[in-house]
Amino acid sequence: MNMLEIEGLNVWFGTARDRVDAVKAASFSVAQGQSFGLVGESGSGKSTILRAITGLAPTWSGKITVAGQPVLAKRSKSFFKTVQMVFQDPYASLHPRHSVDQVLGETLYLHGFKDIDARVVKLLDDVGLGQKFRFRYPHQLSGGQRQRVAIARALAPEPTLLLLDEPTSALDVSVQAEILNLLVDLRQEHHLTYLMVSHDLSVVGHMCDSLAVMKDGEIVEIMDVAALRRMEATHPYAQHLLQASV
Amino acid sequence: MERLLDIENLWVKFPTRQGIFDAVRGVSFSLGRERLGIVGESGSGKSMTGRAILRLIRSPGMVEADHINLDGENILAKSEKDMRAVRGQRISMVMQDPKFSLNPVMTIGEQIIEAYRLHSKASKADAHAKSLEMLEAVSIRNPERVMRAYPHEMSGGMGQRIMIAMMLIPNPEILIADEPTSALDVSVQRQVLDIMDRLVKERGMGLIFISHDLNLVADFCDRVLIMYSGRIVEVCEADKLHEATHPYTRGLLNSLPRLDAPKDRLEVLRRDPAWSEAASVSGRV
């Protein structure tokens, strides 16, 4: 079964003269349990696809299907239980005046969980932080620890599809290795499906099973990671991107 | 080799409630007409080293050094007023994040023209033409439109290229680039590096390239200093970076995912407290 299906997705910003078509007729599908990568240069629309799925970019047309359910303009509560997103910059995506406990507790409360205390403890253990970080504020955490909190928050509603928007690009390579290992482990433990945006082809090669290459809002090529490793891209832009990243 | 910049025993200190924190601890290196890379993780003191050279560290932060010589002149002895003639004109710096380094309420054009006219007596029309030319040089597709735009209308990659254009327009002797390409895509990264490379060669500039990206530095620079907790742990020729011997450098190299060598788990760096105790290696030539 396909966890996520996207058909003829268009996303635009602005109107008339200022209209920018950020995504043009994008189509792809991600099978249950798969990890799918979106690569391309900045402004190619890869993050916009994630934002359109979650509802952060409200002006879109086309068809988005998550776990067999078509996504409508008004997203249901169950949608947000199924789909969660981890953002690029852990320095910007956590509320500076909320402790880790508040961040996770509020998410759990909003999703109607009753055993919040036990779940906060479990979430922190799951992302390898442990209890002593529970009452800290974001400024008392390093970048890697913050990203772990952001991942814990995304895991709180027990989603099946995680949207990862450049989850390690703000981190050091040594910390990146830890977070990527964590994401690989979590995917196995929780049977998650990943849709990951990255500009780093080697990160996508490490994390994903297949990927789509985007340019100027269009998907120019979809290939699997084996082909990526063999450097077998057919579209000239994809070839150019492969060469530039080695 | 001619020494543009010569630094001996540089310390950067910050007083905190827990006592004095040493961000940079006794670093020595020199810069010729070359591309010198400084790599290390966040918190290793690489950005602080760059800022100390321009005397951008403000009180209560303290900069101490035996000397920081720019063409034989110790810039630590200069007055704040004389420093203004150094900053931008002789040593220029491209900062990490265009979002925080560009003025949000001025158009790009106004900012570049201001940077140019501050150091030269050019007329507004000349400055405008020169700015357009510079924007084109950093491969911005539609410079006329960009000149009229505000920073928030630019993508991160464009913002960074605008910063580079602005810093290069007064034609400095030394360019300090602090993670100039970390916000850029691989394809654009190459272009920006090529532009900087050309300038270093054509104008005989010295470049200090601060980055956390080992592969990029190995590829782009001539010589590399590897910093860890405020000290230089290893100095090597950039093309021999992959043969580096220090366990910290090796750990960083091994933690990178590679397309040509897939593995299930990435290696995680194990830190040895002895690394931060060992004396700093000199990077002077």
Side-chain angles (χ1 to χ4, degrees):
Chain A
M1 191 192 86
N2 283 338
M3 189 66 220
L4 173 71
E5 272 178 57
I6 286 183
E7 248 184 83
L9 177 72
N10 297 298
V11 187
W12 63 91
F13 300 106
T15 50
R17 199 167 69 114
D18 294 326
R19 177 167 159 144
V20 176
D21 289 289
V23 179
K24 291 171 249 175
S27 301
F28 62 90
S29 59
V30 187
Q32 167 90 50
Q34 212 199 1
S35 176
F36 191 87
L38 285 173
V39 295
E41 55 184 285
S42 51
S44 64
K46 49 195 197 313
S47 297
T48 307
I49 289 185
L50 299 196
R51 298 179 78 84
I53 297 170
T54 50
L56 290 169
T59 47
W60 59 274
S61 67
K63 210 168 137 197
I64 303 176
T65 316
V66 172
Q69 299 286 320
V71 172
L72 308 169
K74 175 98 176 76
R75 284 161 181 75
S76 62
K77 219 171 177 179
S78 71
F79 171 84
F80 292 108
K81 243 177 128 60
T82 323
V83 183
Q84 282 291 321
M85 185 154 165
V86 177
F87 295 89
Q88 182 169 9
D89 189 351
Y91 294 89
S93 64
L94 294 177
H95 194 299
R97 285 173 175 270
H98 282 184
S99 68
V100 172
D101 181 66
Q102 280 173 295
V103 167
L104 300 179
E106 185 178 25
T107 313
L108 289 164
Y109 172 77
L110 287 174
H111 283 277
F113 289 104
K114 292 284 174 277
D115 48 344
I116 289 174
D117 186 62
R119 278 178 184 270
V120 169
V121 172
K122 169 132 196 331
L123 282 171
L124 285 175
D125 283 339
D126 276 355
V127 295
L129 277 178
Q131 287 268 20
K132 64 177 178 187
F133 290 98
R134 184 168 173 184
F135 296 102
R136 291 215 193 164
Y137 286 90
H139 73 268
Q140 296 167 312
L141 302 172
S142 70
Q145 288 164 347
R146 285 183 210 209
Q147 199 58 299
R148 283 175 196 263
V149 174
I151 292 169
R153 177 180 62 183
L155 289 177
E158 299 180 335
T160 43
L161 175 62
L162 262 197
L163 309 176
L164 305 164
D165 189 0
E166 307 242 18
T168 59
S169 64
L171 306 174
D172 280 319
V173 283
S174 52
V175 183
Q176 165 171 290
E178 289 171 22
I179 297 290
L180 292 182
N181 283 341
L182 172 70
L183 287 170
V184 169
D185 292 344
L186 289 172
R187 183 171 148 223
Q188 268 167 5
E189 273 168 44
H190 299 265
H191 310 289
L192 298 169
T193 307
Y194 284 167
L195 176 57
M196 182 172 186
V197 162
S198 181
H199 64 274
D200 189 336
L201 278 174
S202 51
V203 167
V204 168
H206 178 73
M207 292 289 297
C208 299
D209 310 309
S210 47
L211 65 144
V213 180
M214 292 191 69
K215 179 174 171 45
D216 295 338
E218 286 170 63
I219 292 180
V220 297
E221 184 156 2
I222 294 179
M223 58 180 167
D224 59 11
V225 161
L228 174 73
R229 291 196 196 287
R230 290 194 304 270
M231 311 273 295
E232 285 175 1
T234 46
H235 192 276
Y237 175 74
Q239 285 170 347
H240 168 71
L241 198 67
L242 271 174
Q243 261 141 28
S245 63
V246 177
Chain B
M1 189 167 44
E2 185 195 349
R3 278 186 195 167
L4 288 174
L5 192 70
D6 185 32
I7 295 166
E8 173 95 42
N9 197 21
L10 173 72
W11 290 73
V12 178
K13 300 176 181 182
F14 291 96
T16 66
R17 265 169 288 180
Q18 287 82 36
I20 287 190
F21 174 75
D22 300 319
V24 179
R25 306 184 296 159
V27 164
S28 306
F29 65 91
S30 65
L31 174 78
R33 297 191 189 281
E34 61 176 337
R35 294 163 298 184
L36 177 73
I38 303 182
V39 282
E41 293 169 281
S42 48
S44 60
K46 52 190 197 312
S47 295
M48 281 299 154
T49 306
R51 283 166 168 269
I53 296 169
L54 275 172
R55 296 231 331 248
L56 286 174
I57 290 162
R58 291 289 174 234
S59 172
M62 288 171 277
V63 180
E64 286 165 21
D66 292 356
H67 60 78
I68 300 180
N69 282 357
L70 172 67
D71 291 330
E73 258 182 294
N74 190 357
I75 57 172
L76 284 177
K78 280 186 187 291
S79 70
E80 206 37 53
K81 195 168 161 242
D82 293 338
M83 269 316 284
R84 250 182 269 159
V86 172
R87 294 192 193 113
Q89 216 162 359
R90 300 184 66 193
I91 309 179
S92 208
M93 187 166 185
V94 179
M95 304 271 185
Q96 212 158 352
D97 197 335
K99 256 183 266 161
F100 300 115
S101 312
L102 291 170
N103 187 340
V105 295
M106 271 171 92
T107 63
I108 308 280
E110 282 166 356
Q111 292 183 56
I112 302 183
I113 290 171
E114 185 189 41
Y116 184 52
R117 300 221 323 150
L118 211 59
H119 296 295
S120 73
K121 300 273 177 287
S123 70
K124 272 195 182 150
D126 286 347
H128 187 86
K130 181 87 178 159
S131 305
L132 278 178
E133 191 186 303
M134 211 58 218
L135 284 177
E136 261 167 33
V138 291
S139 51
I140 278 175
R141 266 169 289 225
N142 197 343
E144 281 286 359
R145 184 181 70 88
V146 169
M147 289 280 279
R148 287 194 306 272
Y150 285 92
H152 75 270
E153 297 171 281
M154 299 289 111
S155 69
M158 280 174 100
Q160 198 60 297
R161 278 182 278 168
I162 290 161
M163 289 279 299
I164 290 171
M166 202 183 285
M167 291 305 128
L168 289 178
I169 215 168
N171 208 354
E173 290 162 54
I174 297 174
L175 181 68
I176 301 173
D178 189 355
E179 306 260 8
T181 58
S182 54
L184 307 187
D185 308 302
V186 275
S187 46
V188 187
Q189 207 170 54
R190 205 63 254 182
Q191 289 175 12
V192 171
L193 291 179
D194 286 342
I195 292 164
M196 295 209 305
D197 191 33
R198 207 181 61 218
L199 289 157
V200 172
K201 285 207 182 103
E202 277 175 13
R203 310 185 187 189
M205 273 166 49
L207 175 70
I208 298 180
F209 188 85
I210 300 169
S211 175
H212 66 274
D213 191 331
L214 289 132
N215 286 327
L216 191 69
V217 168
D219 210 29
F220 180 66
C221 294
D222 302 314
R223 211 153 55 92
V224 184
L225 313 175
I226 295 114
M227 285 189 73
Y228 181 73
S229 75
R231 286 188 173 157
I232 300 176
V233 294
E234 192 166 11
V235 180
C236 61
E237 296 299 311
D239 47 359
K240 299 202 177 68
L241 183 65
H242 288 271
E243 298 156 26
T245 50
H246 195 281
Y248 173 65
T249 321
R250 290 248 56 93
L252 283 185
L253 286 168
N254 289 336
S255 62
L256 288 168
R258 293 175 60 127
L259 272 184
D260 49 348
K263 45 188 165 187
D264 288 341
R265 293 194 72 76
L266 296 169
E267 243 172 80
V268 174
L269 187 68
R270 303 221 178 281
R271 286 156 216 277
D272 185 344
W275 298 346
S276 52
E277 293 313 314
S280 188
V281 180
S282 171
R284 295 175 80 189
V285 214

